Amino acid sequence: NAENIIYSTNDNYLHQYNIKSEKNDVIAINAFYPTFSPDSKNLLYQKKVPGNNPYSIDGSTYPGFAILNLATGKERIVPNTTEPSGYSPLWTPDGTRILFFGNGIEIINLDGTNRTQLTKQGDGLDIRGISDDPLWSSDGHYFMYHSDYNIILLELDLPNKRVITAGPIAYGVAPHWVE
C-alpha cells in the first residue's frame, strides 16, 4: 500500500518512515542494504555482528546477515554468514535462500546451512563492476547480472552449474528479462 519507506543511512541505521504520519523510526542498528522478502513480511540486511575481525576498525565485528520480522520486530542473525563474510544479500524468489557476494557469488539457506560457492573471484565471472540491480528470472532458476560490462547468466540448482557469458560486449549493462 506504499505507506512506508525503509532505508539505510551512512551511520548504519535502518529507518522506517511512514508517509502519512511522517513518523521516522529506527528499526535496526549496525545494519545496511535492506531488501524485502518476496512476501514482504521480513527484511534481510547486512549487519555488523560480534567476532574477532582483524580488518574491522575496532577488531570486534564482522559483516553478516540478519532477518527482521516486520510484524514482531524480532531480529535473528543468519548463521554461517560472517566468516568468511559476505555482502549485498538478496532473497531468492521463493524466499528460502539468500544469494550474496563473498569470494565470488554464493548461496545459503535461511538457517545458515548449505553455503555453496557458485562462482569464484578471478574465474572471469567474478563481481568486479557488478550491477546494483541483479535480476532473477520469474521461475527463480536463473540469476543475471553484469560484471566488467559483460552480461552474466548464472543457472542455479543443476548438478553441473552452468555460467553463460555474453562474451566481451561493449558496455553490456542493464539486462532485463523478456517473458
Side-chain angles (χ1 to χ4, degrees), residues 57-102:
I57 292 171
D58 63 4
S60 64
T61 60
Y62 273 98
F65 304 141
I67 297 173
L68 179 69
N69 181 305
L70 294 170
T72 66
K74 293 192 186 254
E75 177 187 74
R76 70 175 179 86
I77 302 298
V78 178
N80 198 25
T81 60
T82 59
E83 298 180 46
S85 62
Y87 58 96
S88 297
L90 298 166
W91 295 93
T92 55
D94 64 4
T96 62
R97 297 182 292 173
I98 301 167
L99 186 91
F100 62 96
F101 308 108

Side-chain angles (χ1 to χ4, degrees), residues 18-38:
N18 185 283
I19 295 169
K20 290 182 179 178
S21 71
E22 298 184 11
K23 187 176 179 186
N24 194 356
D25 294 319
V26 172
I27 59 173
I29 59 171
N30 291 322
F32 38 100
Y33 302 121
T35 182
F36 282 98
S37 61

